[in-house]
Amino acid sequence: MTDEANLAGTESVSSDGADAADATDSSSNVPADEMARMGEDIVGALKTVYDPEIPADLYELGLIYKIVIDDDRTVNIEMTLTSPNCPSAAELPGQIENAVKSVSGVQGAKVAIVWEPAWDPSRMSDEARTVLNMW
């Protein structure tokens, strides 16, 4: 996957689940080690949310485009769906929001559905490809 989900101002988390603590920015009021822990825990929480029709989590499917942790510890997430006609479109954002809110230190979560760039199977991680046998 080429796009990255970003933990703005402190870290970047690649959409294939790579390192959650790649970069730091001293402008954040949240200590770097706390931001790194929160970033890793947020990714872990995102990996608990599964598409009910696909046996893979939304993070590994490449549906999470951006993760931003604000100084007030509110997490803003941009995600997409596999299709605008997804039958789970009404419930998946709420599940993502609840999973992220469960992370220690997170004060709130907001989820926005975006359609650009359009999702396609190339965004899936190797883990999702293995589960779905899509090589």
Side-chain angles (χ1 to χ4, degrees):
M1 285 177 263
T2 57
D3 290 353
E4 291 187 351
N6 294 313
L7 297 176
T10 57
E11 306 166 11
S12 83
V13 176
S14 73
S15 55
D16 65 1
D19 195 0
D22 293 340
T24 60
D25 178 351
S26 59
S27 65
S28 176
N29 292 330
V30 181
D33 60 336
E34 175 70 1
M35 190 65 77
R37 184 209 48 85
M38 285 176 56
E40 291 172 7
D41 291 351
I42 288 167
V43 169
L46 292 171
K47 288 183 176 191
T48 68
V49 181
Y50 283 74
D51 184 308
E53 297 180 334
I54 304 172
D57 68 77
L58 301 187
Y59 187 83
E60 295 298 337
L61 285 171
L63 297 174
I64 307 299
Y65 285 178
K66 189 174 186 180
I67 302 166
V68 178
I69 302 172
D70 294 336
D71 282 342
D72 68 356
R73 298 173 184 245
T74 298
V75 179
N76 296 286
I77 296 174
E78 288 183 8
M79 66 173 287
T80 196
L81 302 168
T82 56
S83 160
N85 299 321
C86 176
S88 300
E91 51 215 47
L92 290 176
Q95 290 176 6
I96 289 288
E97 185 177 310
N98 290 335
V100 172
K101 283 181 181 178
S102 74
V103 172
S104 175
V106 170
Q107 296 302 310
K110 298 175 188 172
V111 178
I113 301 290
V114 297
W115 299 108
E116 294 294 327
W119 181 87
D120 67 70
S122 70
R123 301 186 67 83
M124 293 189 300
S125 70
D126 289 345
E127 181 178 321
R129 290 178 190 284
T130 300
V131 167
L132 299 174
N133 196 25
M134 292 184 69
W135 292 100

